[in-house]
């Protein structure tokens, strides 16, 4: 094997950025040979290794494959002789070539090169394992690991272990993690910090929290990555309080947190909506001078938004020197989640008009702000934008479109979006089931639920919420109770207050108010506002003042300042002609200072939403509208309709 290689045709292909990287080594040299006018580049095995490594990292496949081609033309250059030094030099170049193909070539090229290698070491096998794992080919990558062990020539090292563990990021890989953990002990790698860190991360990703904690507790030495892996693992599994406890424990020890540690802690504060803790971490970031890092700013904005402090989030956004797509998406979602729907839509339009690159996450966020009173035309424009940007493959965007169309009243378009989806997740199915339920089509909602199960998608608590809602509106009481039972017995999902409220609503709408009351009394948890509102609402529909009064009294205990129990009882008494009881209820309501919320109705015409309240004469066309209303009332009366003592003046209200 040669100790140096001379290249001529390769020189024009070397990017200019590489020359500055190679120059510090002082080994590459350009010679002008007398027999040729072309300059020649002389490289040794270390230069070649570096050049191939950089080609792989930077994606310069043409350069890397050109170097490979020169070896093919001169095979003796890379086939070692008996000399140990030559063998070592050769394996360095072979492994670098292998690494280049694993990063920017095809797996076919990678396999072919590996099969042609005259010598291999542990790095060669590790490269094959990581190359396949990086491309999502777990079985093939793990197969190379097994072949490596069977070969008896090379043995795995800590890099092999961490590479395989890094790919074990789902529950189904739990047994693989346990097996690798066994190999760690049997081969005495338990003292390696990097291996321990990988085990912690993998266990948490597989949902095995106790094993991850055990590895952490038994580690001989811990660095900042160890602590961060543990804290972030707890956050990912929504154990926010424990993660913050560990963060405080870390701060009292010798290891200092880094940016990633603070990011995880801010995520924990967001999950707990712990504003005080979030502010404390914010002050620590100021002291350390890292509060302006882009990822830190995004996390701070998210924390403040989740805690309801949109103003603070907006201040950080405005003061940020560098903004990326994540920052934009975070502030957009912050506005949407805190009731600033119109501001969120205007912010999105401003982003679009400013030429900012719109990504799927931004579209998904803005679609989430659409409600019943939102312009359908704006939703269609966003749908058009998603098609132009080729986001039709993105499930989050499609899920948002399904919800947007159903909330804006276009169920047919929701169904079209759903039917065109090539890949559907549980959110896709839930969104479409909810759309049918929202529009009162309970039969189609239940039919879609059966299709969802046939497709191998497990229902979630949201699925059952929509199904119970659908059963409530079509009167399928037995089916609804059956679904509630299967929710716990079959799928192990614990019902929330929303599920119980749906069941109460379902029973009440079917006229089974006593059964609804009995159901509430037998709940395993204390009934909350939602449950009592559901019972009171169905009493309003059925005109049952007795159970209605019982529900109203319970609701007043839960929310004494709410006008809902008083207004609902007043309506129930009115429907039964109990005017004295109605007057007494209104009087009590006024005495305690509870005011009724103003009802709003709306309509969209010519791409604009018009909103109205009771006795509203603020609209510029109010007089014209009331005039038409009076004409319509006259026509109704001429047709023989008797509207129950309603006068034209009352109709205007």
């Amino acid at each position: 094997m040669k100790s140096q290689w001379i290249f001529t045709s390769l020189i024009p292909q070397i990017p200019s950025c590489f020359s500055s990287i190679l120059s510090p080594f002082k080994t590459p040299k350009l010679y002008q040979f007398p027999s040729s006018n072309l300059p020649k580049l002389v490289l040794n095995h270390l230069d070649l290794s570096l050049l191939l490594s950089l080609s792989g990292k930077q994606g310069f496949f043409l350069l890397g494959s050109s170097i490979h081609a020169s070896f093919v033309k001169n095979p003796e250059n890379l086939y070692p002789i008996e000399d140990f030094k030559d063998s070592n030099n050769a394996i360095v170049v072979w492994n670098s070539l292998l690494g280049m193909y694993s990063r920017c070539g095809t797996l076919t090229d990678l396999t072919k090169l590996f099969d042609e290698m005259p010598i291999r070491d542990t790095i060669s096998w590790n490269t094959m394992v990581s190359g396949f794992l990086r491309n999502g080919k777990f079985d093939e990558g793990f197969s190379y690991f097994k072949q490596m062990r069977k070969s008896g020539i090379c043995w795995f090292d800590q890099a092999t272990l961490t590479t395989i563990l890094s790919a074990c990021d789902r529950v189904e890989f739990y047994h693989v993690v346990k097996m690798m953990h066994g190999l760690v002990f049997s081969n005495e790698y338990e003292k390696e910090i990097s291996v321990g860190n990988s085990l912690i991360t993998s266990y948490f990703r597989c949902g095995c929290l106790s094993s991850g904690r055990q590895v952490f507790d038994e580690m001989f030495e811990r660095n900042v990555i160890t602590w961060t892996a543990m804290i972030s693992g707890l956050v990912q599994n929504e154990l926010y309080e424990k993660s913050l406890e560990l963060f405080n424990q870390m701060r009292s020890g010798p290891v200092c947190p880094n940016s990633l540690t603070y990011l995880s802690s801010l995520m924990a504060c967001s999950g707990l909506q712990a504003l005080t803790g979030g502010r404390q971490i914010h002050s620590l970031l100021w002291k350390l001078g890292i509060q302006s890092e882009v990822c830190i700013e995004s996390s701070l904005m998210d924390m403040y938004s989740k805690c309801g402090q949109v103003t603070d989030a907006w201040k950080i956004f405005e003061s940020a020197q560098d903004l990326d797509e994540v920052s934009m998406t975070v502030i957009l979602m912050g506005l949407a989640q805190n009731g600033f729907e119109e501001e969120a839509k205007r912010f999105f339009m401003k982003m679009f008009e400013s030429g900012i690159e719109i990504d799927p996450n931004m579209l998904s966020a803005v679609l989430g702000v659409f409600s019943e009173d939102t312009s359908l035309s704006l939703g269609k424009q966003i749908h058009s934008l998603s098609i132009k940007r080729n986001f039709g493959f993105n499930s989050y965007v499609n899920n948002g479109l399904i919800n947007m169309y159903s909330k804006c009243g276009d169920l047919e378009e929701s169904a079209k979006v759903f039917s065109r989806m090539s890949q559907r997740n549980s959110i896709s199915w839930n969104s479409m089931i909810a759309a049918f339920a929202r529009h009162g089509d309970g039969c189609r909602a239940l039919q879609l639920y059966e299709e969802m199960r046939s497709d191998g998608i497990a229902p979630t608590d949201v699925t059952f919420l929509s199904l119970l809602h659908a059963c409530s509106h079509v009167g399928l009481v037995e089916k609804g109770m059956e679904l509630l039972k299967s929710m716990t017995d079959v799928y192990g999902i614990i019902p929330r207050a929303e599920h119980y409220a749906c069941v109460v609503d379902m029973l009440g709408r079917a006229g089974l108010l006593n059964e609804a009351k009995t159901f509430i009394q037998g709940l395993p948890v204390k009934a909350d506002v939602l449950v009592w509102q559901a019972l009171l609402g169905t009493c309003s529909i059925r005109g049952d003042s007795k159970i209605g009064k019982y529900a109203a009294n319970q609701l007043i205990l839960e929310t004494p300042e709410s006008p809902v129990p008083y207004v609902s009882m007043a309506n129930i008494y009115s429907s039964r002609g109990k005017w004295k009881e109605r007057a007494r209820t209104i009087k009590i309501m006024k005495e305690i200072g509870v005011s009724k919320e103003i009802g709003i109705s709306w309509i969209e015409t010519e791409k604009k939403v018009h909103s109205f309240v009771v006795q509203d004469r603020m609209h510029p066309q109010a007089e014209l509208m009331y005039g038409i209303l009076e004409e319509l009332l006259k026509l109704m009366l001429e047709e023989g309709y008797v509207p129950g003592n309603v006068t034209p003046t009352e109709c205007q209200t």
Side-chain angles (χ1 to χ4, degrees):
M1 174 185 168
K2 293 185 179 180
S3 60
Q4 290 185 325
W5 290 265
I6 301 173
F7 297 94
T8 54
S9 59
L10 185 63
I11 295 172
Q13 297 180 36
I14 299 179
S16 57
C17 60
F18 279 38
S19 59
S20 60
I21 298 172
L22 287 169
S23 59
F25 290 88
K26 304 301 180 186
T27 48
K29 298 177 182 178
L30 285 174
Y31 291 95
Q32 193 75 36
F33 285 81
S35 59
S36 173
N37 293 324
L38 292 173
K40 293 177 173 59
L41 183 66
V42 180
L43 303 174
N44 64 23
H45 69 284
L46 292 177
D47 302 325
L48 273 176
S49 176
L50 179 60
L51 195 58
L52 286 167
S53 177
L54 292 172
S55 297
K57 290 178 181 178
Q58 300 294 329
F60 292 110
F61 179 70
L62 181 60
L63 175 60
S65 58
S66 298
I67 296 173
H68 187 194
S70 69
F71 296 150
V72 173
K73 291 179 181 178
N74 302 282
E76 71 279 359
N77 289 352
L78 269 186
Y79 283 83
I81 55 178
E82 297 301 323
D83 186 85
F84 178 75
K85 181 179 178 181
D86 286 343
S87 296
N88 279 348
N89 291 349
I91 195 65
V92 167
V93 180
W94 274 110
N95 287 339
S96 298
L97 191 59
L98 199 65
M100 186 278 296
Y101 277 113
S102 76
R103 288 182 176 273
C104 60
T106 65
L107 294 177
T108 304
D109 295 332
L110 181 65
T111 305
K112 185 178 179 182
L113 178 64
F114 182 78
D115 292 340
E116 293 173 354
M117 288 178 66
I119 50 174
R120 299 168 186 158
D121 62 2
T122 299
I123 296 174
S124 313
W125 288 97
N126 286 350
T127 303
M128 292 301 293
V129 172
S130 64
F132 277 92
L133 294 181
R134 192 185 302 115
N135 286 276
K137 305 290 185 180
F138 187 87
D139 291 340
E140 292 86 342
F142 199 72
S143 175
Y144 274 100
F145 170 67
K146 290 190 287 187
Q147 290 178 48
M148 174 187 183
R149 295 189 66 199
K150 287 180 181 178
S151 69
I153 301 172
C154 302
W155 196 245
F156 64 85
D157 58 9
Q158 64 188 66
T160 321
L161 295 169
T162 56
T163 298
I164 294 174
L165 286 169
S166 65
C168 299
D169 55 358
R170 297 190 299 276
V171 178
E172 52 264 37
F173 293 128
Y174 168 70
H175 294 294
V176 178
V177 178
K178 291 292 288 184
M179 184 185 70
M180 301 308 293
H181 196 173
L183 290 174
V184 168
F185 273 98
S186 62
N187 292 274
E188 300 181 351
Y189 282 112
E190 65 272 15
K191 292 185 179 181
E192 294 291 341
I193 297 180
S194 61
V195 175
N197 295 344
S198 296
L199 278 170
I200 292 170
T201 303
S202 297
Y203 272 128
F204 274 104
R205 286 178 176 174
C206 293
C208 192
L209 283 59
S210 58
S211 296
R213 180 74 205 210
Q214 184 179 353
V215 173
F216 177 81
D217 292 337
E218 294 177 354
M219 286 184 70
F220 294 89
E221 186 181 353
R222 300 169 187 154
N223 58 17
V224 66
I225 299 173
T226 314
W227 286 92
T228 304
M230 190 68 196
I231 292 169
S232 63
L234 291 168
V235 171
Q236 289 162 12
N237 286 274
E238 299 183 1
L239 297 173
Y240 303 122
E241 291 183 2
K242 289 186 177 180
S243 70
L244 288 176
E245 288 173 6
L246 198 65
F247 172 69
N248 291 327
Q249 183 183 338
M250 178 187 182
R251 288 188 59 230
S252 63
V255 181
C256 296
N258 60 16
S259 296
L260 293 177
T261 322
Y262 285 110
L263 282 175
S264 297
S265 301
L266 284 171
M267 288 174 65
C269 293
S270 297
L272 289 171
Q273 297 183 352
L275 180 60
T276 303
R279 289 193 190 281
Q280 290 174 350
I281 294 175
H282 193 178
S283 65
L284 288 172
L285 294 169
W286 268 99
K287 290 178 181 178
L288 295 169
I290 58 175
Q291 80 286 349
S292 296
E293 292 183 10
V294 176
C295 55
I296 293 287
E297 286 178 328
S298 298
S299 291
L300 284 169
M301 286 188 283
D302 181 64
M303 182 274 294
Y304 281 120
S305 297
K306 295 279 177 61
C307 294
Q309 304 296 313
V310 185
T311 304
D312 290 329
W314 187 258
K315 286 178 181 177
I316 295 172
F317 178 80
E318 286 191 316
S319 63
Q321 296 179 351
D322 297 311
L323 292 169
D324 59 5
E325 289 81 2
V326 176
S327 308
M328 297 284 189
T329 306
V330 166
I331 198 66
L332 185 60
M333 293 184 69
L335 292 168
Q337 292 168 352
N338 286 276
F340 297 95
E341 289 88 358
E342 292 302 317
E343 289 80 356
K345 283 181 277 190
R346 284 198 293 268
F347 179 75
F348 175 78
M349 295 305 296
K350 189 174 180 180
M351 285 167 55
F352 177 71
E353 291 166 359
S354 301
I356 293 171
E357 188 65 28
I358 304 296
D359 65 13
N361 292 327
M362 293 178 187
L363 278 186
S364 177
V366 75
L367 285 168
V369 308
F370 278 75
S371 57
E372 289 81 355
D373 61 340
T374 308
S375 170
L376 178 59
S377 61
L378 175 59
K380 288 182 175 179
Q381 289 176 38
I382 294 175
H383 190 182
S384 176
L385 177 62
S386 73
I387 294 171
K388 290 178 181 176
R389 297 294 171 89
N390 197 28
F391 294 156
F393 65 90
N394 189 281
S395 59
Y396 294 102
V397 173
N398 286 322
N399 295 341
L401 288 169
I402 292 170
N403 284 319
M404 180 274 293
Y405 277 119
S406 69
K407 288 179 179 179
C408 292
D410 197 337
L411 181 61
E412 184 179 348
E413 199 61 39
S414 286
K416 285 181 181 178
V417 174
F418 180 79
S419 64
R420 293 191 196 109
M421 291 180 69
S422 57
Q423 291 185 329
R424 301 166 183 154
N425 55 24
S426 61
I427 300 173
S428 313
W429 290 93
N430 289 346
S431 298
M432 198 63 234
I433 291 171
F436 285 130
R438 187 179 292 117
H439 286 260
D441 197 338
C443 294
R444 291 181 73 183
L446 292 168
Q447 181 184 347
L448 199 64
Y449 168 62
E450 296 301 329
E451 292 178 21
M452 175 184 183
R453 293 173 62 196
S454 300
D455 211 41
I457 305 296
T460 66
D461 61 330
V462 178
T463 315
F464 286 103
L465 193 61
S466 298
L467 291 170
L468 290 170
H469 181 65
C471 291
S472 174
H473 283 269
V474 294
L476 297 175
V477 176
E478 290 185 10
K479 183 65 178 177
M481 298 307 292
E482 179 189 320
L483 287 167
L484 181 68
K485 191 173 186 300
S486 69
M487 180 178 176
T488 52
D489 294 353
V490 179
Y491 297 101
I493 301 172
I494 300 173
R496 293 183 280 114
E498 290 90 337
H499 297 95
Y500 294 133
C502 271
V503 173
V504 171
D505 183 72
M506 176 182 66
L507 293 169
R509 285 176 182 271
L512 304 172
L513 290 170
N514 287 316
E515 287 80 353
K517 181 181 176 183
T518 304
F519 175 79
I520 295 173
Q521 292 170 343
L523 289 177
V525 294
K526 184 177 180 292
D528 68 355
V529 174
L530 291 173
V531 175
W532 294 119
Q533 280 183 344
L535 182 60
L536 183 56
T538 54
C539 288
S540 297
I541 295 171
R542 291 287 170 177
D544 191 315
S545 58
K546 183 180 177 181
I547 296 180
K549 187 175 181 180
Y550 167 75
N553 289 337
Q554 297 297 325
L555 192 55
I556 289 169
L557 292 174
E558 295 289 335
T559 55
E561 297 180 358
S562 172
V564 173
Y566 302 100
V567 174
S568 297
M569 284 309 301
N571 292 337
I572 292 173
Y573 288 136
S574 297
S575 67
R576 292 297 183 183
K578 298 180 178 181
W579 305 111
K580 289 183 180 180
E581 288 85 348
R582 180 187 185 278
R584 192 182 300 115
T585 303
I586 297 298
K587 183 181 179 182
I588 294 171
M589 184 177 171
K590 290 180 179 179
E591 286 175 352
I592 62 176
V594 176
S595 58
K596 179 184 176 183
E597 293 180 3
I598 299 174
I600 300 176
S601 58
W602 56 84
I603 187 172
E604 181 185 351
T605 58
E606 297 180 353
K607 299 182 180 181
K608 187 176 181 182
V609 177
H610 302 264
S611 300
F612 303 93
V613 297
V614 177
Q615 296 182 334
D616 190 349
R617 289 188 175 272
M618 298 299 292
H619 195 278
Q621 295 176 293
E623 296 304 320
L624 175 62
M625 287 187 286
Y626 282 125
I628 293 173
L629 190 59
E630 288 192 25
E631 292 297 322
L632 289 173
L633 183 60
K634 289 178 183 178
L635 292 173
M636 289 167 62
L637 295 171
E638 289 175 3
E639 292 290 332
Y641 178 72
V642 181
N645 299 322
V646 177
T647 65
T649 305
E650 289 173 330
C651 188
Q652 291 175 12
T653 64

